[in-house]
Amino acid sequence: MGLEHPLVRDVFPELVSELVALLEEEGESELAICAWDLRLVAGCGCTDAFCQSFKTEPHPDGQPFGPGHRCVPLSPSKGMIILDVVNGKIMYVEVLDREPLQDIRVGGNGPATQVTPGPAEPD
């Protein structure tokens, strides 16, 4: 993956600070370190207004995660945050039932994708 995808900490600094703190609380220090360098690859593409989830890595072969996958549910004060982790790498951040982060566009080499709130749509 190239550097064309913005760092999540540059786009959502409060969310990354919260992720790091929540991961530390869960005893997930290695993931807490990794959370600092996550890249915002794409929105989830769903049409649910309560969802602000996003990919931090491309899915393997465009498919679900497969072997080495685990879910890491966190306990934020509001809403839900669940991480999809494959072999120690955070691949996807589920952000549900929370106030909107902000409306940003990510893209890289292809058309930009709306990350929050709502569905992913090309510009």
Side-chain angles (χ1 to χ4, degrees):
M1 176 174 45
L3 297 178
E4 67 274 3
H5 301 291
L7 287 165
V8 177
R9 70 175 183 241
D10 291 341
V11 180
F12 304 130
E14 296 85 12
L15 178 63
V16 170
S17 295
E18 183 179 15
L19 278 176
V20 169
L22 291 169
L23 286 164
E24 289 288 349
E25 287 174 17
E26 291 292 322
E28 297 277 2
S29 352
E30 288 182 27
L31 290 180
I33 292 167
C34 294
W36 184 247
D37 291 322
L38 294 176
R39 294 219 172 250
L40 188 55
V41 173
C44 76
C46 78
T47 58
D48 297 325
F50 62 85
C51 179
Q52 300 178 79
S53 304
F54 53 92
K55 292 180 183 180
T56 58
E57 294 282 341
H59 288 210
D61 299 323
Q63 300 299 313
F65 300 114
H69 173 257
R70 69 184 177 110
C71 285
V72 179
L74 301 173
S75 299
S77 60
K78 296 178 184 175
M80 297 170 43
I81 299 176
I82 304 163
L83 306 180
D84 285 299
V85 178
V86 178
N87 298 323
K89 183 181 267 188
I90 300 169
M91 304 289 285
Y92 191 78
V93 179
E94 293 181 71
V95 181
L96 306 170
D97 294 321
R98 294 171 56 103
E99 292 191 22
L101 297 169
Q102 67 186 47
D103 185 15
I104 57 106
R105 304 277 170 172
V106 296
N109 296 329
T113 302
Q114 181 177 340
V115 173
T116 61
E121 298 175 355
D123 278 338

